[in-house]
Amino acid sequence: MKKSFHIKNIDCANCALKLEDAFKKLNGVEKVTVDFVREMVHFTSKKEYTSDDFENIARTIEPNVRIYKRDTHEKDQSSQQELIINSVGVFILLVVLAMQWVFRIDSPTLKLTLYILSYLMIGGKVLYKAFRNMLHRQFFDEHFLMTLATIGAFLIGEYIEGIGVMLFYRIGEYLQDRAVNSSKKSIKKLLDIKPVIAHLIQEDSIIDVKPETLLLHQKIKIYPGEKVPVDGIIIDGFSSVDQSKLTGESLPVDVSKDDVLLSGSMNLQGVLTMKVTEIYENSTVAKIIEFAEHHVHKKAKAEQFITKFAKVYTPVVVMLALILAFVVPLCDALFFSQETYQALLNVYVRRALIFLVISCPCALVLSIPLSFFSGIGASSRQGVLIKSGSDLEAFSTLNYVIFDKTGTLTKGTFEVVDIVSDQKDLCLSYAAHAEIHSNHPIAKSIVSAYQQPLVTSRVTHVSEIFGQGVICHYEGEELYVGNEKLMDAKSINYPKHSNGRTIIYVAYKKIYIGAIILSDTLKETSKETIDQLKQQHVEVICVTGDHEEPTKHMLSSLGITYYANCLPQHKVQIIETYLNKGKTAFIGDGVNDTPVLMAADLGVSMGKIGSDAAIEASDAVIMNDQPIKLLETIQLSKKTMKIVKQNIVFAIGIKLLFLLLGALGFASMWYAIFADVGVSLLAVLNTMRILNVRASTDKVF
Ligand code: ADP
Ligand code: MG
């Protein structure tokens, strides 16, 4: 059973990893991820666990952590008190410094007492955590290491250094928190599409209600500057709406009577009266939020690497510190130096303390998940929803892109160009009745071509055969509407047509009635997308359930390999042959292709969030139907991966440099703490660059 909780007050990204490990030890709990940035815990478990069970475990590691079933806005009040205590600590430090340098009071005991007091006030929280972690036998934790380093400084008489390093560590923590919080806020703002209010029209008044309570066919008013609360259709008024948060399309769209309004879009000008066509739960906005929040959280490879790296980095650095402090001086004293072990020890212990200051991998642990999260946020601003970091990563490494044809490369709004039959009207009427309940683009086009009212009661026993068509009972007798495969399967005697178009045959009471000839057109951006993909050495393939002839006719201008006549299971087989060769994405419209979406490395569905099943099955959704969005997302994914790599190289590089400088005696503890805090901040700032994207296809490459 999949479940998620909200988690608050995690101190640092590294702590999130520790919590993850602790939760994994719970009986029956598998696949736990603690999402530091979104403040969520995702897990699957065989046993029923409450948020309290999780909180109890969490608190043995992080006393302030709170875990909730639902999101709350509870503020952590301890930070205010902490600030005051820290300031007093700093004040005491200034007093001792003034005593020493200005008033020249020289009382060693008084000074030491004040130093210790100042140290305790500034580093109290860190000391407390270090002590508690020791009780839980966790020695490689940054609090423990900072404590060790600063107490070490005290022991060798470097009081100011000890206090200073602790102070900068705290300031660094604070700044990091600020940076992370502000980035979280800007990302949340990007994703902020949830409507909060709806104005329900009643007989003689208008009342404000929650969007969740609206019922089908109710009428509501939408004022300028408000979000559309549920999906609906305009019955009065005109305006322009901003759908950028849904589709990434930045130009406002003009709307008037009979136009469809998608929830989550913003009404810009006029007052609109709208009829509800979907309740909140089934509306676009709810589906997007569902997609963004409740997913199986898969960590990207880079993230997995960091998690593993963090686990070994700290112990290794601490081991090195021990060797540097005690073994190196011994060798030095025995073989090289004239000085005694005692004297050398003093020098090397000092250097080893620097190692301890640099031993926390915080910059990495923090910036990598934040990068992926920013990437996902930026991509949703462009109108592409992505489920997890690993899916975003996958976009940058594709070798094969396999498109579905109908509704994906083509518009899927077929036009009925001809009906070949002695009884044309009857033929269309049969077809339209059979297709009433189907979501297939062909079905929708046939229904809209038949402009008369449909009598639903005439149709029973409807079943749709994927890749073939529909069979049903019409006034109690069998009716078949579909392609050649269906006609052959039902042994109908019919004349085969072939003219490069999509053809749907109709047979009633096992007798052939006629054929409906449909034409489809390519989407505007299909060709450009395919050309650009080819330029990037990505192989493009098309799979379709349609026949050879219309497929060839349609795709001839694109110059790609295609497989026609595929049933959904054939599509899966084709995908599998490519999966063996390289990273493969499948892009479909979500109608009939759920199994294929699941089989691919990266399943992308398009089209204003097609069917619910398709959303479950896909790793990403293109909201505005346009294949070109794929290019934007690949571009964004590459940018994200570049920044991720920069951060990894930069953070590890600086740390190694300072370890080396420290070991050779060229860096003091001050440098070390500046390097440590600086790297974290710069990594976070670098990450922010990801958010700096516009939904523009002009400058894709
Ligand atoms: P694609 O792979 O091009 O998206 P599908 O697998 O959805 O196509 O459908 C393949 C073929 O099956 C269609 O071209 C059509 O001939 C037939 N078909 C599928 N569903 C229907 C339907 N509801 N009504 C009529 N024909 C259908
Ligand atoms: Mg399709």
Side-chain angles (χ1 to χ4, degrees):
M1 162 178 37
K2 269 191 271 176
K3 233 175 156 175
S4 303
F5 292 135
H6 291 267
I7 183 163
K8 298 269 163 170
N9 305 342
I10 312 180
D11 252 356
C12 72
N14 209 14
C15 310
L17 297 182
K18 276 185 257 162
L19 290 174
E20 227 167 69
D21 280 342
F23 294 146
K24 273 184 198 145
K25 294 193 187 116
L26 274 171
N27 213 344
V29 171
E30 290 160 7
K31 293 195 196 146
V32 193
T33 45
V34 174
D35 185 338
F36 173 65
V37 187
R38 266 180 267 212
E39 304 188 304
M40 299 282 291
V41 194
H42 306 282
F43 62 97
T44 52
S45 88
K46 296 191 193 95
K47 250 174 84 178
E48 185 78 39
Y49 281 105
T50 63
S51 54
D52 285 343
D53 297 333
F54 269 63
E55 190 170 288
N56 290 338
I57 303 275
R59 286 202 177 184
T60 61
I61 295 169
E62 285 275 309
N64 292 331
V65 164
R66 294 274 185 287
I67 296 181
Y68 306 96
K69 228 166 141 180
R70 295 205 168 70
D71 205 3
T72 67
H73 296 285
E74 188 190 290
K75 282 252 172 346
D76 184 16
Q77 299 193 335
S78 55
S79 59
Q80 199 72 21
Q81 297 163 1
E82 242 178 79
L83 196 68
I84 297 173
I85 298 175
N86 287 343
S87 313
V88 176
V90 174
F91 179 71
I92 296 175
L93 178 65
L94 292 176
V95 170
V96 214
L97 293 180
M99 257 174 51
Q100 191 171 342
W101 290 328
V102 183
F103 302 110
R104 310 236 168 244
I105 303 174
D106 199 20
S107 155
T109 3
L110 179 61
K111 271 199 312 197
L112 184 61
T113 319
L114 289 179
Y115 277 137
I116 292 179
L117 200 61
S118 161
Y119 175 74
L120 288 179
M121 293 200 134
I122 294 172
K125 191 178 157 200
V126 177
L127 293 178
Y128 168 68
K129 282 193 178 167
F131 181 68
R132 225 199 33 245
N133 287 338
M134 248 161 53
L135 291 181
H136 291 106
R137 294 171 195 281
Q138 287 189 1
F139 299 108
F140 297 124
D141 149 275
E142 64 281 7
H143 301 115
F144 177 75
L145 296 164
M146 282 308 296
T147 305
L148 201 61
T150 48
I151 289 183
F154 260 76
L155 290 181
I156 55 174
E158 299 283 1
Y159 307 121
I160 300 181
E161 208 156 320
I163 300 172
V165 165
M166 189 57 100
L167 181 62
F168 280 109
Y169 174 71
R170 298 302 307 273
I171 293 176
E173 259 189 341
Y174 173 75
L175 291 178
Q176 238 178 55
D177 254 19
R178 288 284 298 263
V180 170
N181 277 340
S182 87
S183 64
K184 268 192 218 165
K185 260 197 207 130
S186 59
I187 294 164
K188 276 196 181 141
K189 226 167 155 187
L190 283 184
L191 299 176
D192 177 27
I193 49 170
K194 192 173 160 64
V196 284
I197 202 166
H199 312 290
L200 177 64
I201 303 177
Q202 295 195 315
E203 264 164 34
D204 47 3
S205 64
I206 296 178
I207 57 165
D208 289 349
V209 297
K210 289 201 156 156
E212 289 87 340
T213 61
L214 289 174
L215 303 173
L216 274 186
H217 309 308
Q218 281 185 329
K219 290 176 190 140
I220 57 168
K221 285 246 182 247
I222 305 162
Y223 299 113
E226 287 184 344
K227 287 182 207 129
V228 178
V230 293
D231 294 352
I233 187 162
I234 300 177
I235 50 178
D236 189 33
F238 55 89
S239 176
S240 57
V241 293
D242 174 0
Q243 301 187 334
S244 57
K245 290 216 165 120
L246 301 179
T247 62
E249 178 59 59
S250 48
L251 287 180
V253 186
D254 288 334
V255 291
S256 55
K257 191 166 183 292
D258 291 338
D259 281 336
V260 171
L261 282 180
L262 291 183
S263 50
S265 42
M266 173 81 82
N267 179 17
L268 295 176
Q269 292 163 359
V271 178
L272 294 170
T273 310
M274 183 189 95
K275 192 167 87 181
V276 177
T277 56
E278 292 287 358
I279 59 166
Y280 180 79
E281 211 179 270
N282 298 332
S283 283
T284 311
V285 71
K287 288 184 192 168
I288 294 180
I289 292 174
E290 167 86 17
F291 189 94
E293 280 183 358
H294 298 276
H295 50 77
V296 219
H297 187 86
K298 280 184 290 172
K299 282 189 177 175
K301 282 222 185 64
E303 254 178 291
Q304 289 168 6
F305 164 73
I306 291 307
T307 314
K308 282 193 196 129
F309 178 83
K311 280 193 183 143
V312 292
Y313 173 78
T314 312
V316 166
V317 174
V318 174
M319 279 302 293
L320 289 177
L322 284 177
I323 295 174
L324 186 66
F326 302 110
V327 183
V328 177
L330 188 63
C331 299
D332 205 356
L334 285 179
F335 304 113
F336 308 105
S337 176
Q338 309 299 322
E339 296 189 47
T340 61
Y341 180 60
Q342 208 65 34
L344 286 171
L345 203 57
N346 200 356
V347 175
Y348 281 99
V349 165
R350 214 172 267 249
R351 295 186 189 178
L353 292 180
I354 293 173
F355 271 50
L356 297 184
V357 173
I358 320 179
S359 61
C360 173
C362 276
L364 287 171
V365 176
L366 174 71
S367 74
I368 308 303
L370 195 62
S371 303
F372 283 109
F373 185 60
S374 307
I376 293 173
S379 146
S380 74
R381 184 162 66 177
Q382 292 180 335
V384 181
L385 306 177
I386 298 177
K387 262 192 191 157
S388 72
S390 108
D391 300 320
L392 178 62
E393 189 180 40
F395 274 97
S396 66
T397 56
L398 293 177
N399 305 103
Y400 300 97
V401 170
I402 304 186
F403 285 98
D404 171 51
K405 181 179 74 90
T406 317
T408 305
L409 285 178
T410 70
K411 288 189 179 154
T413 44
F414 290 83
E415 226 177 287
V416 173
V417 284
D418 199 6
I419 299 170
V420 188
S421 170
D422 301 337
Q423 307 153 283
K424 288 189 181 171
D425 288 346
L426 189 65
C427 178
L428 186 60
S429 160
Y430 282 144
H433 278 92
E435 301 280 19
I436 301 177
H437 302 293
S438 170
N439 263 328
H440 200 276
I442 292 183
K444 295 200 163 154
S445 316
I446 291 180
V447 170
S448 76
Y450 180 71
Q451 285 168 341
Q452 294 164 45
L454 292 163
V455 189
T456 330
S457 57
R458 289 186 192 153
V459 190
T460 54
H461 301 82
V462 187
S463 75
E464 184 158 359
I465 306 177
F466 290 155
Q468 299 192 0
V470 174
I471 55 175
C472 64
H473 285 187
Y474 183 85
E475 294 185 332
E477 300 281 350
E478 289 199 15
L479 172 64
Y480 311 134
V481 177
N483 56 17
E484 288 179 12
K485 267 192 221 117
L486 183 69
M487 296 298 126
D488 292 342
K490 296 291 172 191
S491 324
I492 303 293
N493 196 359
Y494 68 104
K496 276 192 187 164
H497 294 267
S498 65
N499 57 2
R501 307 263 197 206
T502 300
I503 298 163
I504 297 300
Y505 300 92
V506 180
Y508 185 52
K509 298 186 193 171
K510 294 246 174 198
I511 296 167
Y512 170 74
I513 303 290
I516 299 175
I517 305 191
L518 300 137
S519 85
D520 195 4
T521 41
L522 284 177
K523 285 184 188 165
E524 297 85 1
T525 63
S526 293
K527 180 153 175 55
E528 190 189 340
T529 307
I530 286 171
D531 288 347
Q532 300 239 28
L533 283 173
K534 282 195 216 155
Q535 263 176 33
Q536 295 178 57
H537 309 292
V538 177
E539 197 176 318
V540 186
I541 298 111
C542 176
V543 288
T544 175
D546 208 352
H547 276 293
E548 173 78 23
E549 273 227 31
T551 308
K552 191 168 155 195
H553 184 79
M554 184 67 71
L555 302 182
S556 58
S557 65
L558 301 178
I560 55 174
T561 320
Y562 63 86
Y563 300 84
N565 280 317
C566 301
L567 294 174
Q569 60 269 33
H570 295 147
K571 291 186 185 174
V572 173
Q573 281 164 8
I574 293 168
I575 295 271
E576 275 165 0
T577 60
Y578 285 98
L579 282 175
N580 290 331
K581 293 195 273 181
K583 262 257 166 2
T584 306
F586 175 76
I587 327 286
D589 63 352
V591 181
N592 300 355
D593 41 22
T594 317
V596 209
L597 284 168
M598 301 233 279
D601 288 320
L602 185 67
V604 184
S605 62
M606 40 165 84
K608 309 214 170 87
I609 305 221
S611 66
D612 287 349
I615 297 172
E616 268 292 317
S618 16
D619 303 311
V621 177
I622 295 177
M623 297 289 292
N624 78 342
D625 272 10
Q626 287 301 335
I628 196 99
K629 285 282 168 192
L630 185 66
L631 294 176
E632 276 180 18
T633 312
I634 290 178
Q635 158 92 338
L636 179 71
S637 163
K638 286 188 173 159
K639 182 171 172 183
T640 306
M641 293 315 295
K642 199 164 116 192
I643 288 179
V644 163
K645 281 177 197 148
Q646 278 169 359
N647 282 346
I648 292 180
V649 171
F650 172 68
I652 295 184
I654 296 275
K655 295 230 163 189
L656 289 181
L657 178 70
F658 273 84
L659 287 178
L660 190 69
L661 291 178
L664 298 176
F666 292 122
S668 72
M669 233 151 108
W670 293 105
Y671 289 150
I673 190 77
F674 275 123
D676 194 60
V677 171
V679 169
S680 301
L681 288 180
L682 283 177
V684 171
L685 291 178
N686 193 24
T687 302
M688 293 295 88
R689 295 197 299 134
I690 298 172
L691 287 175
N692 227 344
V693 289
R694 250 169 296 138
S696 126
T697 24
D698 314 334
K699 38 172 213 115
V700 171
F701 298 101

